[in-house]
Structure formats: C-alpha cells, structure tokens
Amino acid sequence: MEQYAVEMLHITKRFPGIIANDDITLQLKKGEIHALLGENGAGKSTLMSVLFGLYEPEEGEIRINGKPARIKNPNDANDLGIGMVHQHFKLVECFSVLDNIILGVEPVDSLSFLRKKRAREKVMEMSRKWGLHVNPDALISDVTVGMQQRTEILKMLYRENDILIFDEPTAVLTPQEIDELMQIMKNLAAEGKSILFISHKLNEIMAVADRCSVLRKGKYIGTVNIADTTKAELSRMMVGRDVKFAVDKEEARIGGEVLKVEHMTVASKQHANDAVKDVSFTVRQGEIVCIAGIDGNGQSELVYGLTGLESLKSGTITLCGKNITKAPIRRRSRFGMSHIPEDRHKHGLVLDYSLEDNMVLQRYFEPEFTNSAGFLKRKAIRSYAERLIEQYDVRSGQGPITMARSMSGGNQQKAIVAREIDKGPELLVAVQPTRGLDVGAIEYIHQQIVAQRDAGKAVLLVSLELDEVMNVSDRILVMYEGEIVGEFDPKQVTVEELGLYMAGAKRMEVEA
C-alpha cells in the first residue's frame, strides 16, 4: 500500500459568505514534490493553513504518516514535522534576520542563557549549503523582499521539518534565485523530505513537481502526473478555459515626454553606499519602459524616490512638465502618477480597512466621494467599489465590505491594480504588478497595462520576471548596483544577453 506523508480527507472550511474549501481530498507521498495549482482565491492557501494549524476545518480528517492528527495550532504542526513558508511573510519587522529564524526554538545553555553564537553558526552553515544568502544582522524592516523570502525558508529548514509547505515561494525571487530554489527543493525531496508547493507558475510546476492537484473556486478538480500533462492542460483545469500566454500588442505610438529623471541619487538604508547612483532616463506617452534587474540592485529605492516614499539625495524629477522632486505623495498622485507598489501590505493597502475603503484611499476627498460638509458619500463609495470589483474580477467573501486582510494575496493585488489604473494616470508606475497572480489574472493585468499605453499614457514597469520584461515592454533599462548599465529593444535582445547585464558581467554607457 502507498505510504503517504500527508492525507487531507474531505476537508471543508467556511468563512462568512464563502466556502473556501469544499470537500477537498489531497494526498502527499513521502519524498515527492506535489504542486497545488489554482486561481487566486481558489482555496490553496486556506487548505495549507488548515494543514499548518492556522485554521481548523469544519469537516474532514488529516492523517500524518498514516496516523490521524488533530492540528490545532502551528506548534502542533511543528511537533508533527510540518513547516510552512507563507505567501505573506510571518516575520517580526524590528528583529534581525537571525532572531526571526530562531524565534521560538532559541538554543539555550543549562542556565537558560541564549546561545546565539551556536545558532548563528548553524544558520550560516545552512545558508551556504542551500545557497540562501542572507545577512543575519540586518533588520527585517531594512532588507529586500527577496531576503525576507530566504529568511522564511531558512526558518523552516532550521527546525528540521520533514513535511515542507511552500506557499508561492518564488513570487519575489529573480530567475537565478528561482533556479536555485528549484534545485534546493529537488535536493530536499532527494533527502526524503515531502514538499507541498503552491504556485501559479506553470513553468516551475512542470520543472520541479512530480504530481499536481488542481483547485477551482474551492473545489477539487483532479490530480495529474506532471510527466503525463502539458502547461495548456493544467491552465485549462485551473481556469476552465484556454489561456493565451503571449501578450498581444500593436506597435507603440510614442508621443511627448511624461517623466524625466535627471541625475537621481537615493541613499541606502542598509549600507554607506548610495542605493541609486546618478540615474537619468525618460518615459514618453504611449510606451512601456521596463526596469529589469536582479532584486536588490536599487530598483526599490528608485521607485521610492520617484513616488515620494523616500526623499532624493540629489537630482530632479519632472512629471508632465512640473517639477515634483520635493512634492508630497498626494500631490504626485494629483499631478497624474499612479503607483502599484512592490509590497502590497506595507504600501498598497490598509489591511484592517474594508475593500471599498481601500479602493478610494487616494480619492476619498474628491467631490465624488465627500460632500461639502466633509462627510463621506458612503453610497457613492459602495457603487464605485462594486464597479471595480466586477470589472477586475476581485473575489472576496463579502464583496465591498470584506476586510482587506482576509482576502487572498492575488485578489489583494487585483484590488490595488484596479484602483491605480482606474485613476486614469498620465504615468503608471507598476512594480511587480503580476506578483502572486494566476495565469488568467496575469493575462488580464497585462491587457490593462497595454491598454494604458495604447491610450497614450506612459508606463514604467519594474519587474523581476524576465518573461514579463520581454513580452510587455517597449524599451528595457537594466539596473545593476544602483546604476543603469544597459538600454535595449526587447525585439533585438536575448534573455541570455540581458542576464549578463543584470549580473554585472557587461555594461554600456546609457544616454538619458
């Protein structure tokens, strides 16, 4: 008889207004990599949260290594050898990387004194072994999203768990880091660990998984052997229709200058060197300019400086002919800038607000939503939110009144994209706009970005996804160590050539 590491039998989990998991059965074999695929809001993260003890199911049974298990909380899960890397990281921002990794399992001596040196040595050894490079002394609040991801993975490996859950682990990693992580997962499986891998990225599932189970709208669709299926078949199972993987767009009709950045320098919070060094470029009407690069090469700081989240050390920013170098964020928004941020929780949403309140965060003071006495027009806000929810297919349990925190990551992302594009900006700054989205949603977001460009708007796209960089952009700027080291036409450059510039092996002098 087949020996399963995990059996989730007939699991049902309900939330107000929604059945997140509807009679789902999932079986993970020992030593296999089992992918879990589904659209945003299909119930994947909920199912894994049930396994990890964050939720208790209303119905169903969980068996670990053939024995029934009652998992009431994550400590129970850890005791059973289950570890989880969450899509939205569970890290303490004011703690160091090392403190986060050892939190809850701190090594102590016989007198209960903390033995941090021993923990540090173990973490650095694991970091070297698995290629998960981190700075153990950096504060989580200061490190890139990529390093936060690596911290989460090390946190799980430090506890020596045998059943590993990866919830969208590659959403914030570069192509090279993704390849490394895929290899790490294969090595872990070869060592006998059993892996559940939630992903929207069909290429990754095809490359690394042994089997794949598909969920759609909370229901179990089926399980297939990866060796016997195709990307097209998986996407059809996931969204119930055929999905186009190529981006349809006509030749760009380029107009006047919308954004002009001259000699921008932004200081780094992590080290003495500047994060952005004397960068100049322009973005014009009717074009999508993409900033490509490996995570941590100044892209985040460039966007912070551009959008007003950080002040510049030097340089000027001009938007539609107006100098906005020192303008506050609201004024930049009023002048025609929209921003889809890299970190949707930190800069995109107020998680404890309702979906409808998040939809009008930057516009609530406009006459459309506030009357002359200064009171909010609740009816107008509700109908506006309902229109955007319908148009962008934002799925949530209770519609406009759903608390943002309770929504799936992909639907939170769709809500931000809807809000920023609907403002009708002159310049759309989109940072990782499709991070954590399924193929159907990615197809839709790309169409919206191209529609902005075709309407004569300027788009600055910052992406770590090379497929997105190559397919969506009209012009590519490569950043390396805070400088722009290359400018390319996506039709005339290869991914390999881009990779050399991204890694710092080549550079060209770029004229602004």
Side-chain angles (χ1 to χ4, degrees), residues 338-342 413 416-417 420-421 428-433 449:
S338 273
H339 176 207
I340 299 167
E342 171 185 22
Q413 185 74 1
I416 294 168
V417 170
E420 297 303 321
I421 287 181
L428 175 64
V429 180
V431 189
Q432 294 285 86
I449 289 172

Side-chain angles (χ1 to χ4, degrees), residues 91-97 100 135 137-148 150-151 267-271 275 295-296 300-301 304 310 342-343 346-347:
L91 298 170
V92 182
E93 293 251 315
C94 58
F95 279 19
S96 70
V97 167
N100 270 281
N135 174 1
D137 303 313
L139 293 182
I140 290 296
S141 55
D142 292 340
V143 303
T144 63
V145 184
M147 196 183 289
Q148 290 179 36
R150 296 193 286 276
T151 303
S268 169
K269 283 187 168 178
Q270 289 183 58
H271 44 72
D295 189 29
S300 298
E301 290 84 356
Y304 292 167
E310 297 264 344
E342 171 185 22
D343 189 331
K346 202 185 232 176
H347 299 130

Side-chain angles (χ1 to χ4, degrees), residues 11 54 130 141 169 175 193 207 284 467 469 508:
I11 300 293
L54 291 168
W130 300 112
S141 55
K193 297 194 187 289
R284 296 162 295 180
D467 284 350
V469 170
M508 63 169 76

Side-chain angles (χ1 to χ4, degrees), residues 107-367:
V108 292
D109 61 19
S110 56
L111 296 172
S112 294
F113 286 108
L114 189 59
R115 298 288 302 276
K116 223 170 179 180
K117 190 177 175 199
R118 198 168 68 199
R120 184 194 190 85
E121 286 166 2
K122 181 177 174 183
V123 167
M124 295 317 290
E125 176 55 38
M126 284 166 43
S127 172
R128 279 189 292 274
K129 179 181 176 184
W130 300 112
L132 295 160
H133 307 297
V134 293
N135 174 1
D137 303 313
L139 293 182
I140 290 296
S141 55
D142 292 340
V143 303
T144 63
V145 184
M147 196 183 289
Q148 290 179 36
Q149 172 75 282
R150 296 193 286 276
T151 303
E152 279 280 18
I153 295 169
L154 281 168
K155 194 166 87 175
M156 183 170 67
L157 295 175
Y158 184 83
R159 285 156 178 73
E160 296 175 1
N161 295 314
D162 289 322
I163 297 162
L164 311 180
I165 305 167
F166 287 88
D167 188 355
E168 298 281 349
T170 63
V172 293
L173 302 182
T174 63
Q176 290 90 334
E177 288 171 326
I178 289 169
D179 291 341
E180 285 168 12
L181 180 64
M182 298 287 118
Q183 194 54 53
I184 287 164
M185 288 167 73
K186 286 178 180 171
N187 294 347
L188 288 166
E191 285 188 11
K193 297 194 187 289
S194 310
I195 296 174
L196 277 162
F197 170 45
I198 301 178
S199 180
H200 297 118
K201 298 180 181 176
L202 298 171
N203 289 340
E204 291 169 12
I205 289 175
M206 298 300 287
V208 82
D210 300 304
R211 293 191 302 151
C212 178
S213 292
V214 181
L215 305 185
R216 193 192 314 152
K217 295 187 178 174
K219 292 188 190 304
Y220 171 74
I221 301 299
T223 300
V224 293
N225 289 319
I226 291 300
D228 305 330
T229 192
T230 62
K231 279 202 315 184
E233 180 59 33
L234 284 176
S235 64
R236 203 174 302 119
M237 285 175 75
M238 174 167 69
V239 297
R241 63 177 175 84
D242 289 330
V243 176
K244 284 164 77 174
F245 293 99
V247 178
D248 282 337
K249 61 184 185 27
E250 299 168 1
E251 279 295 315
R253 295 190 301 278
I254 293 171
E257 191 175 88
V258 173
L259 175 72
K260 184 168 190 173
V261 174
E262 298 172 282
H263 307 295
M264 179 199 273
T265 299
V266 182
S268 169
K269 283 187 168 178
Q270 289 183 58
H271 44 72
N273 294 336
D274 293 325
V276 179
K277 303 167 190 168
D278 194 32
V279 163
S280 301
F281 64 92
T282 58
V283 187
R284 296 162 295 180
Q285 291 171 331
E287 74 168 343
I288 299 170
V289 175
C290 182
I291 306 254
I294 294 168
D295 189 29
N297 276 278
Q299 304 97 312
S300 298
E301 290 84 356
L302 175 80
V303 172
Y304 292 167
L306 203 56
T307 55
L309 288 166
E310 297 264 344
S311 37
L312 305 193
K313 198 167 165 184
S314 62
T316 57
I317 306 168
T318 309
L319 178 66
C320 302
K322 300 182 184 78
N323 186 329
I324 60 161
T325 311
K326 294 187 175 172
I329 292 171
R330 183 186 283 195
R331 191 169 302 157
R332 292 177 203 227
S333 175
R334 306 295 290 152
F335 285 164
M337 181 186 290
S338 273
H339 176 207
I340 299 167
E342 171 185 22
D343 189 331
R344 52 182 167 244
H345 283 185
K346 202 185 232 176
H347 299 130
L349 297 164
V350 180
L351 292 172
D352 291 325
Y353 278 12
S354 65
L355 179 53
E356 64 184 6
D357 284 350
N358 273 289
M359 289 296 203
V360 294
L361 268 183
Q362 295 155 318
R363 301 183 57 189
Y364 66 87
F365 47 82
E366 293 178 5

Side-chain angles (χ1 to χ4, degrees), residues 470-493:
M470 296 296 281
N471 287 328
V472 180
S473 60
D474 299 307
R475 190 155 53 96
I476 302 169
L477 303 175
V478 177
M479 271 191 92
Y480 176 71
E481 292 190 342
E483 299 177 276
I484 291 178
V485 295
E487 179 173 335
F488 303 96
D489 179 338
K491 294 197 222 49
Q492 294 172 357
V493 70

